[in-house]
Amino acid sequence: MTDQPTDDATYFKVADDIDTLDEVNGFNKSESVHALTDEPWADPLDEGGTDDWRGQQVARATPAEAAEWRAAYATLLAAAKKATGDLEAARSVWEAAQGVATAKLRDAYADYAHVHEAIDRRLDEVSDLREQARKAERQREAQAAAAQAAAAAQAAEDAQAAEDAELGPRTWVTFQPNSSSRKISPDMMVPVIHLADCPLTKGGEHLTYSNDYRFARKAEVQDVLLAGAPRMERGRATSDRLFTKLCGRCKPHASLEAALGETYLAWRLEVESAQEPMPRITAMPKALKLHKEWNNPYGNRDGYTVVSDKYYTEEKLIEPHEKLIGWVVHIEGDRVVSQDHPEKLDWLMAELPKRGFAVRRVTEPQRYGARLAGTECKTAVAVRRMTAHEIRQAKEDAAATARYHRNGAQG
Ligand SMILES: [Zn+2]
């Protein structure tokens, strides 16, 4: 049977009740209850001006249907109200029972609390005992480790002392440049010797990653002393040899002389005998402290000058590290000539050694002809720097002379 509109049917607005059965999930597809209102609606095609996308909801009903459906909705509301009311009542009863139960539990625990607290204290007691035991164990371990470390340090010290007794004390620290020093200063690859407590090396001897600084006994320090190093130029070794250096700060000279004796003295003689070249010609007056007595071509002042040594050098009458110094006289403006001024050369012979320069007479070259060749040069003398050794010797001689005069005066 189809549900066709009948003549007595009219249209009413339909409300959607979403609250009444809200407690029941999924009770129908639309999760709401349609309820026929008593507000009539004239034309079902009129959507009304509502916000609802479906337009105003309306449905037809005969008067009998309308009465029946409204009564049914009232019944639904009453049943729902009853059900929720019963639930509320039950909840109140349950909450009251729960309060009673909670109170009973509290009472029960109040009776028991002293037992719990007693056991709690006993638990703390055991926990303290265990903590003390662990602490004592850690202390024992730390003491054992310290004792072991001390024993190891003592053993190392004993071994060192035994070694020192056998091989001599480690009096020095040697610096031997390695590949990392080469990167920093490619031309400074010379070994250096320090005393063992030198402030410059202190601590460096123990750095195992850089092998530059090492404690050294007599045998090692002798090796380093005699080793020297090639002179470097732009990071490459040349054929020149340089002597090992002794630190200027801690000055190990005396200790090396005491330990190595003749070996050290021979080394020192060699170092100090090294012959340095003469100064450049422009630096010569100042180096010889002769700037006041030096030939001045602009002021027409007679004076000392560097004389050409071409023929003397060719005939090997002077050494490469010697220069000829003579006296020149200005005649006719800028023309200068060397003349015999024996007193000027005698003065150089007497004065220059006090200034660190050695002076000697030279003979004239063959090139100057039969009359002069082989005779003593009267216009210039050969001058060279004294070696460090000669300077030391001169000082020692002067001291000895002074001592002799003092003693002579007393005796
Ligand atoms: Zn030093």
Side-chain angles (χ1 to χ4, degrees):
M1 194 185 90
T2 53
D3 186 13
Q4 290 294 328
T6 53
D7 290 343
D8 58 350
T10 53
Y11 287 86
F12 296 92
K13 283 190 184 179
V14 170
D16 265 346
D17 174 359
I18 57 171
D19 299 321
T20 302
L21 296 183
D22 188 38
E23 301 257 346
V24 191
N25 266 335
F27 60 92
N28 72 12
K29 241 190 271 179
S30 54
E31 295 269 334
S32 68
V33 177
H34 299 318
L36 193 75
T37 71
D38 47 14
E39 289 177 66
W41 196 263
D43 178 3
L45 298 182
D46 173 11
E47 295 190 12
T50 67
D51 292 338
D52 193 324
W53 59 275
R54 294 168 297 195
Q56 176 61 54
Q57 295 198 97
V58 295
R60 71 180 160 80
T62 62
E65 284 172 333
E68 184 193 334
W69 292 352
R70 286 177 189 133
Y73 183 59
T75 304
L76 172 71
L77 288 183
K81 193 177 175 188
K82 170 83 169 65
T84 52
D86 289 352
L87 181 61
E88 275 307 311
R91 182 175 289 138
S92 302
V93 171
W94 187 84
E95 279 172 4
Q98 191 189 40
V100 170
T102 304
K104 281 181 180 165
L105 291 174
R106 286 188 195 287
D107 288 351
Y109 181 70
D111 291 343
Y112 186 76
H114 69 284
V115 176
H116 170 84
E117 279 154 19
I119 294 177
D120 199 45
R121 286 190 295 275
R122 302 286 165 87
L123 289 176
D124 284 351
E125 190 182 293
V126 170
S127 161
D128 286 351
L129 287 173
R130 287 177 181 170
E131 180 53 36
Q132 277 166 18
R134 277 196 292 268
K135 207 188 260 177
E137 178 59 24
R138 282 197 297 270
Q139 248 163 19
R140 269 196 302 279
E141 281 170 5
Q143 278 163 1
Q148 206 167 19
Q154 186 60 48
E157 213 170 285
D158 291 350
Q160 194 65 69
E163 218 179 277
D164 287 353
E166 190 187 334
L167 303 170
R170 300 180 306 162
T171 308
W172 303 275
V173 169
T174 59
F175 169 80
Q176 287 185 295
N178 62 18
S179 53
S180 68
S181 10
R182 184 183 291 255
K183 272 177 215 150
I184 299 160
S185 48
D187 295 346
M188 293 294 291
M189 299 295 287
V190 184
V192 185
I193 296 174
H194 300 264
L195 287 174
D197 56 355
C198 178
L200 298 184
T201 62
K202 202 137 203 157
E205 321 88 342
H206 302 295
L207 302 178
T208 50
Y209 54 84
S210 93
N211 211 16
D212 284 353
Y213 292 111
R214 267 172 281 176
F215 281 117
R217 298 191 173 83
K218 187 177 162 179
E220 294 106 44
V221 87
Q222 176 166 321
D223 288 347
V224 173
L225 181 75
L226 300 181
R231 188 170 63 76
M232 306 291 284
E233 209 170 84
R234 289 189 290 275
R236 289 168 167 277
T238 67
S239 58
D240 289 358
R241 295 294 298 177
L242 296 176
F243 293 104
T244 294
K245 287 185 174 160
L246 307 186
C247 174
R249 181 91 170 263
C250 60
K251 299 192 171 54
H253 307 63
S255 79
L256 289 169
E257 184 174 347
L260 305 180
E262 280 305 316
T263 305
Y264 171 76
L265 291 175
W267 175 83
R268 191 180 73 181
L269 180 64
E270 202 186 334
V271 172
E272 294 187 343
S273 300
Q275 177 66 59
E276 296 292 320
M278 283 291 276
R280 284 172 297 110
I281 288 180
T282 49
M284 197 76 79
K286 203 172 171 202
L288 298 174
K289 300 200 186 81
L290 287 177
H291 30 292
K292 282 191 200 133
E293 295 87 358
W294 206 252
N295 162 50
N296 183 342
Y298 307 106
N300 265 1
R301 193 178 73 197
D302 300 345
Y304 292 107
T305 193
V306 176
V307 172
S308 167
D309 54 19
K310 187 168 185 288
Y311 301 133
Y312 299 86
T313 303
E314 279 175 8
E315 298 185 20
K316 296 192 171 29
L317 296 167
I318 66 169
E319 300 292 326
H321 51 262
E322 286 178 319
K323 287 286 173 202
L324 287 179
I325 308 286
W327 182 267
V328 290
V329 173
H330 289 256
I331 55 168
E332 296 172 19
D334 59 353
R335 206 160 80 83
V336 294
V337 292
S338 295
Q339 291 182 345
D340 293 3
H341 281 280
E343 78 289 356
K344 298 296 182 192
L345 300 187
D346 289 345
W347 187 79
L348 287 183
M349 297 286 288
E351 281 303 311
L352 289 188
K354 299 177 200 162
R355 305 177 186 191
F357 291 86
V359 192
R360 69 179 179 91
R361 301 284 185 180
V362 290
T363 49
E364 299 286 26
Q366 298 297 320
R367 188 69 180 247
Y368 285 175
R371 195 174 62 80
L372 279 177
T375 66
E376 190 180 82
C377 174
K378 298 215 167 46
T379 53
V381 286
V383 179
R384 65 172 172 86
R385 284 185 197 273
M386 287 165 80
T387 63
H389 176 69
E390 286 169 325
I391 292 170
R392 173 194 293 277
Q393 202 65 53
K395 278 185 193 159
E396 285 172 7
D397 289 351
T401 309
R403 258 196 317 277
Y404 173 79
H405 286 305
R406 251 197 333 269
N407 294 344
Q410 282 163 3

